[in-house]
């Protein structure tokens, strides 16, 4: 038996022993484990499943072991995913930290930041949200205006973010801010802060579905220590957006079918006006819930539905005129 076959045999045995039977069943939205300081578990089995997977580093199988990850090779990670799918095992943890922030920190963070933030992400102790979009900066993210001033021993942040998924439930935010007003693309930096910091206020946005998966996030004189800047200050706009592009592509799943709304297939006709985008987001959100429930039983990787949804958002962007897409592509390159 070769090494990878031996790994598969051991993995199958370990999962058979440690994955509770109730964690091998389809999962409703209310049973998703997001973790975090105020996180709750739908059952003792769900808590146990997260604990044993995190102890083994298998909530982040390919991350290095010194940061709490599993240290698995790409081949071993695939085998683990296959064996989890074989059992129809639920993901032990849904996390923007695992899917988005962690991969960037591994590439751009310093050693102190990695030691500080990665292990709690692996254990599901911190829930992260993504602070990118603003009322005046959606697809044209480089237009963001949230100001971050250097005040000597700290930064001072003022501005507003919008469509921040679950910001009202998050513990920390990873955020793009403007650190140089003279350069549109070259004056953006990547910073993180605790949502309990004075001056951070979230207001859930109620969608036509009645749900509030998004928030407006207001930042008023938010003081952030200098060691929470990720990567260099004023990292080239394209590069910092490349980070976010990295974020957005990290969990690319096979290209989903085009978005369908009410059975109609979009055929390149651009929905008219911003209002329709809000309606579209509301419907996409409902579609996400529907699709997510149906897909959860397959439980492969980091929440295909979300990536799907994000891609759905990018589908929306596909209805933009060619130059808008070219502009967005240029920024993300
Ligand atoms: C489910 C979901 C979750 C999200 N979660 C987050 C999150 O956690 N954090 C976060 O920061 N953001 C989040 N977002 C926001 C998302 O990133 C933005 O919706 C997306 O980037 C598009 O921006 P916008 O909605 O502001 O639309 P805009 O970019 O303002 O576009 C609005 C309309 O204007 C048109 N348009 C835009 N630019 C041009 C142009 N140059 N030429 C011609 N027409 C143009 C578009 O086609 C569209 O019809 C989420 C969105 C969704 C749907």
């Amino acid at each position: 038996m070769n090494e990878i076959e031996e790994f598969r045999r051991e993995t199958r045995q370990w999962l058979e022993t440690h994955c509770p039977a109730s964690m091998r069943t389809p999962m409703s939205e209310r049973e998703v484990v997001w973790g975090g300081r105020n996180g709750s578990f739908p059952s003792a089995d769900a808590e146990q499943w997260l604990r044993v997977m995190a102890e083994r580093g298998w909530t982040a199988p390919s991350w290095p072991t010194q940061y709490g990850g599993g240290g698995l090779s790409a081949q071993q990670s695939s085998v683990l995913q296959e064996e989890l799918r074989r059992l129809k095992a639920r993901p032990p943890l849904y996390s923007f930290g695992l899917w988005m922030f962690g991969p960037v920190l591994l590439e751009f963070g310093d050693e102190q930041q990695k030691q500080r933030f990665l292990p709690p992400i692996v254990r599901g102790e911190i829930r992260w949200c993504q602070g990118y979009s603003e009322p005046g900066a959606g697809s044209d993210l480089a237009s963001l205006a949230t100001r971050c001033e250097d005040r000597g021993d700290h930064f001072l942040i003022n501005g507003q973010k919008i469509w921040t998924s679950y910001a009202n439930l998050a513990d920390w935010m990873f955020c793009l801010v403007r650190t140089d007003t003279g350069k549109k693309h070259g004056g953006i930096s990547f910073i993180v802060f605790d949502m309990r910091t004075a001056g951070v206020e979230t207001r859930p946005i109620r969608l036509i579905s009645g749900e509030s998966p998004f928030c407006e996030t207001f930042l008023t004189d938010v003081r952030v220590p200098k060691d929470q800047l990720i990567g260099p200050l004023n990292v080239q706009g394209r590069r910092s957006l490349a980070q976010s592009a990295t974020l957005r592509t990290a969990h690319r799943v096979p290209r989903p079918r085009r978005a369908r709304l009410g059975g109609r297939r979009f055929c390149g006709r651009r929905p008219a006006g911003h209002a329709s985008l809000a309606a579209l987001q509301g419907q996409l959100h409902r579609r996400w819930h529907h699709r997510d429930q149906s897909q959860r039983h397959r439980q492969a990787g980091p929440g295909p539905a979300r990536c799907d949804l994000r891609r759905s958002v990018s589908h929306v962007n596909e209805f933009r005129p060619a130059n808008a897409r070219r502009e967005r592509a240029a920024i993300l390159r």
Side-chain angles (χ1 to χ4, degrees):
M1 190 182 281
N2 67 26
E3 213 179 302
I4 202 68
E5 284 165 359
E6 178 57 21
F7 175 76
R8 184 184 295 280
R9 190 190 61 73
E10 286 169 6
T11 300
R12 190 170 288 189
Q13 205 170 20
W14 188 89
L15 289 173
E16 277 302 341
T17 311
H18 291 89
C19 181
S22 66
M23 292 298 109
R24 306 180 197 190
T25 57
M27 175 170 68
S28 74
E29 183 194 339
R30 294 198 198 314
E31 294 174 300
V32 167
V33 174
W34 286 96
R37 285 190 288 243
N38 309 313
S40 62
F41 294 92
S43 67
D45 279 354
E47 185 167 7
Q48 165 81 1
W49 179 223
L50 172 56
R51 191 176 56 71
V52 292
M53 285 289 276
E55 273 169 8
R56 209 167 168 86
W58 283 5
T59 46
S62 60
W63 291 8
T65 51
Q66 69 262 41
Y67 307 125
L72 299 186
S73 67
Q75 204 181 9
Q76 290 171 325
S77 293
S78 306
V79 168
L80 173 60
Q81 294 308 329
E82 287 162 14
E83 291 304 314
L84 286 165
R85 272 200 298 278
R86 194 181 73 83
L87 281 185
K88 295 190 173 50
R90 302 177 180 187
L93 179 65
Y94 270 48
S95 157
F96 281 19
L98 283 175
W99 304 334
M100 299 182 186
F101 177 50
V104 164
L105 199 54
L106 279 167
E107 188 157 346
F108 300 98
D110 63 33
E111 189 54 30
Q112 182 258 342
Q113 291 168 335
K114 290 176 187 171
Q115 291 293 351
R116 177 179 176 188
F117 292 118
L118 294 173
I121 292 175
V122 172
R123 295 190 296 265
E125 291 165 358
I126 297 287
R127 183 169 179 172
W128 289 83
C129 64
Q130 177 200 50
Y132 290 5
S133 308
E134 299 181 4
S139 326
D140 180 19
L141 199 51
S143 294
L144 63 86
T146 293
R147 195 74 182 83
C148 176
E149 294 167 72
D150 187 337
R151 292 297 181 89
D153 65 350
H154 67 276
F155 292 107
L156 198 68
I157 300 181
N158 282 283
Q160 181 197 347
K161 295 291 178 180
I162 193 166
W163 304 122
T164 324
S165 299
Y166 307 111
N168 54 327
L169 304 173
D171 303 314
W172 280 69
M173 175 184 274
F174 53 95
C175 189
L176 288 177
V177 290
R178 182 153 299 285
T179 38
D180 184 335
T181 52
K183 301 181 198 133
K184 179 179 178 183
H185 296 116
I188 297 171
S189 299
F190 195 101
I191 201 162
V192 298
F193 52 85
D194 192 320
M195 295 296 278
R196 293 179 300 189
T197 310
V200 179
E201 183 202 347
T202 59
R203 291 185 204 155
I205 300 170
R206 194 174 159 77
L207 298 180
I208 55 176
S209 61
E211 288 139 16
S212 297
F214 309 115
C215 293
E216 291 174 293
T217 307
F218 296 87
L219 307 169
T220 312
D221 289 340
V222 177
R223 289 172 64 107
V224 179
K226 287 280 179 89
D227 63 1
Q228 289 171 208
L229 175 73
I230 308 295
L233 192 69
N234 286 336
V235 67
Q236 286 308 316
R238 290 175 188 243
R239 183 143 175 242
S240 71
L241 288 169
Q243 286 174 328
S244 67
T246 310
L247 287 170
R248 293 197 177 156
T249 55
H251 306 288
R252 192 171 290 281
V253 292
R255 190 173 179 79
R257 284 175 289 115
R258 287 245 161 190
R260 283 182 178 273
L261 292 177
R264 279 181 305 111
R265 182 177 178 79
F266 264 96
C267 50
R269 246 196 344 273
R270 192 163 61 81
H274 205 84
S276 65
L277 182 67
L280 180 62
Q281 278 164 336
Q283 293 194 13
L284 281 173
H285 178 61
R286 269 203 305 283
R287 192 177 139 270
W288 170 41
H289 279 289
H290 167 67
R291 180 173 199 153
D292 199 45
Q293 261 134 18
S294 64
Q295 278 186 343
R296 278 201 189 137
H297 72 278
R298 275 188 295 175
Q299 308 309 337
R306 178 171 292 284
C307 301
D308 184 21
L309 193 67
R310 281 238 161 254
R311 206 173 309 292
S312 310
V313 171
S314 60
H315 279 322
V316 175
N317 297 331
E318 278 179 19
F319 299 118
R320 293 202 166 130
N323 60 5
R325 281 209 299 276
R326 260 200 303 279
E327 188 190 343
R328 185 180 163 88
I331 289 172
L332 291 177
R333 200 173 294 131

